[in-house]
Amino acid sequence: MAVEVTMPKFGLTMTEGTIQKWFKNEGDAIKAGEAIFEVETEKVLYEVECTATGTVAKLLYPVEAVVAVGLPVAVIAEAGENVAEVAARYGGGGPTTQAAAAPPVTAAPSATNAAPAAASTSGRREGAPVTPAARKLAQENNIDISQIVGTGPGGRITREDVEKLVADRAKAPTPAPAPAAAAPSAAAPAPRPTAAPAPVGQSVPLRGMRKVIAERMHKSLQGSAQLTITTEVDVTQLIDRRQEVQREFNATYTDFIVQACAHALKQHPRMNSTLDGDTIRHLEQISVGIAVALEEGLIVPVVPNTDKKSLKEIAQEARALAEKARAGKLTLEEVSGGTFTVSNLGMFGVDGFTPIINAPQIGILGVGRIVEKPVIYRGEVAKRSMMVLSLTFDHRIIDGAP
């Protein structure tokens, strides 16, 4: 009998996934274990394998469709079945038709989206989101993502946009070399793609990573008693120490702070805990997550067992995780299991801010920029490097004094 391929559930918090690519077309033969489609969750990209051998009778959703966990997305006709009859049974009606997939982009004015994004000279609207699949494909083909005009909702750059550019490049004829006498005029820059006019008052569905972030941040604030305390710290010696370390390996200020947090959590175990009903559970493992900004949202890869690792190990793992995050290649394991989070906005010129707890954790440290300023140091006015740290914690679990 026909086998339904359903939207899988990756992680406890996943409720829906976005289909990014079909690896098979209707009518194609497929074997059990072969990848049939690629799904984007709120955290990572996954290739979903088929569980049966047969023929793809029906693909129930188009690319970019957002599908709830557990719903069928494709139907496989097994050996001996009439493929046309199987496809006909799924041809219309019910929640699995393509009409029930992703909602269309509307053009109704919205107060929050009234101002059109400025068009960049590269042909892409500034701030246009990029799907992890598109970014991954662009990197594999050495394509500057800023050269692509997105055709997805809200100008989103999709895998199809990148594939089209790759195909256009393959079709383009190789230009003949210009004669030597024409060299001066040949130095003029090649024309860039013309930016599509920015739509006025466009409304964009809140979905995908942005929707998940919205839901989680709101739930975090609604479900806990969050309090933020700030302090300004002298990091002059940290700067000196980093310069010493740079002779051996590259380490960022965030790496030092992550290591310091891991050691501090050992001394203050209540901050490395979670609230389970009416029970405060102190966690044995200390694993610090590091917030990484993406164009379409935010993701927090985790350095597991952070307290047991050297600064060099932390620096190497953090850099590798950040690169994988921006390439859309993180696995579920690499974004799970965090017990505390560090969010550094210093590189954006931010002094201090109130970070929101990454539930079910109970603490997050916000890190500001380093500023040289005159301070009283050992009884005298001296130029020191200062940084603002902001600690948000769940007041139900721990108080301000400790």
Side-chain angles (χ1 to χ4, degrees), residues 330-365:
L330 286 171
T331 65
L332 185 63
E333 291 72 23
E334 291 169 330
V335 294
S336 303
T339 62
F340 187 83
T341 297
V342 170
S343 179
N344 188 349
L345 293 181
M347 65 286 292
F348 299 110
V350 174
D351 289 311
F353 59 104
T354 55
I356 299 176
I357 293 172
N358 184 20
Q361 301 170 17
I362 67 156
I364 181 172
L365 184 70

Side-chain angles (χ1 to χ4, degrees), residues 25-364:
N25 297 314
E26 292 182 355
D28 288 351
I30 191 168
K31 296 179 180 179
E34 276 191 281
I36 183 170
F37 73 99
E38 185 176 60
V39 58
E40 176 190 354
T41 73
E42 70 272 20
K43 293 181 177 181
V44 290
L45 279 172
Y46 276 102
E47 290 186 359
V48 179
E49 296 179 353
C50 187
T51 56
T53 297
T55 303
V56 179
K58 193 72 175 177
L59 301 180
L60 302 173
Y61 290 91
V63 170
E64 289 293 304
V66 180
V67 185
V69 166
L71 285 183
V73 296
V75 183
I76 308 300
E78 295 186 299
E81 288 188 291
N82 186 306
V83 176
E85 290 181 0
V86 172
R89 293 203 298 268
Y90 289 84
T96 59
T97 61
Q98 291 194 9
V105 178
T106 62
S110 168
T112 56
N113 295 296
S120 69
T121 56
S122 65
R124 175 183 161 223
R125 291 193 302 113
E126 291 295 339
V130 185
T131 67
R135 181 182 291 106
K136 176 182 177 183
L137 186 61
Q139 289 181 338
E140 291 173 351
N141 289 275
N142 296 318
I143 293 175
D144 181 359
I145 201 77
S146 67
Q147 301 296 314
I148 303 174
V149 179
T151 60
R156 192 182 200 199
I157 298 174
T158 66
R159 175 194 285 270
E160 284 65 35
D161 295 326
V162 182
E163 289 177 340
K164 183 178 183 301
L165 182 58
V166 172
D168 290 344
R169 284 186 174 183
K171 295 176 183 177
T174 304
S185 61
R192 292 185 173 185
T194 304
V200 177
Q202 184 187 55
S203 297
V204 180
L206 178 65
R207 64 185 191 184
M209 179 179 283
R210 189 73 262 157
K211 180 180 179 181
V212 173
I213 291 173
E215 292 174 346
R216 287 188 175 178
M217 294 299 96
H218 184 260
K219 185 177 179 180
S220 176
L221 288 171
Q222 293 290 319
S224 61
Q226 300 194 22
L227 175 65
T228 302
I229 55 178
T230 63
T231 187
E232 190 175 37
V233 295
D234 188 333
V235 293
T236 307
Q237 290 182 331
L238 170 61
I239 294 176
D240 295 338
R241 174 61 181 150
R242 180 171 179 256
Q243 290 177 344
E244 294 175 4
V245 167
Q246 294 295 87
R247 302 188 188 104
E248 181 183 352
F249 61 91
N250 185 30
T252 66
Y253 291 118
T254 301
D255 298 330
F256 281 92
I257 293 167
V258 167
Q259 185 187 45
C261 283
H263 288 289
L265 290 169
K266 291 184 71 172
Q267 299 175 34
H268 304 274
R270 177 160 285 202
M271 187 62 75
N272 194 64
S273 62
T274 187
L275 185 61
D276 185 5
D278 294 329
T279 303
I280 299 173
R281 288 199 306 112
H282 295 278
L283 305 173
E284 294 183 7
Q285 179 174 314
I286 295 176
S287 298
V288 180
I290 306 171
V292 176
L294 306 177
E295 291 191 52
E296 69 272 21
L298 188 73
I299 197 165
V300 185
V302 177
V303 179
N305 299 307
T306 321
D307 59 313
K308 300 177 181 178
K309 292 176 178 174
S310 66
L311 177 64
K312 185 176 182 179
E313 290 173 323
I314 292 173
Q316 291 174 339
E317 286 191 34
R319 184 174 300 104
L321 288 169
E323 291 174 354
K324 292 181 71 174
R326 296 187 180 102
K329 297 180 179 179
L330 286 171
T331 65
L332 185 63
E333 291 72 23
E334 291 169 330
V335 294
S336 303
T339 62
F340 187 83
T341 297
V342 170
S343 179
N344 188 349
L345 293 181
M347 65 286 292
F348 299 110
V350 174
D351 289 311
F353 59 104
T354 55
I356 299 176
I357 293 172
N358 184 20
Q361 301 170 17
I362 67 156
I364 181 172

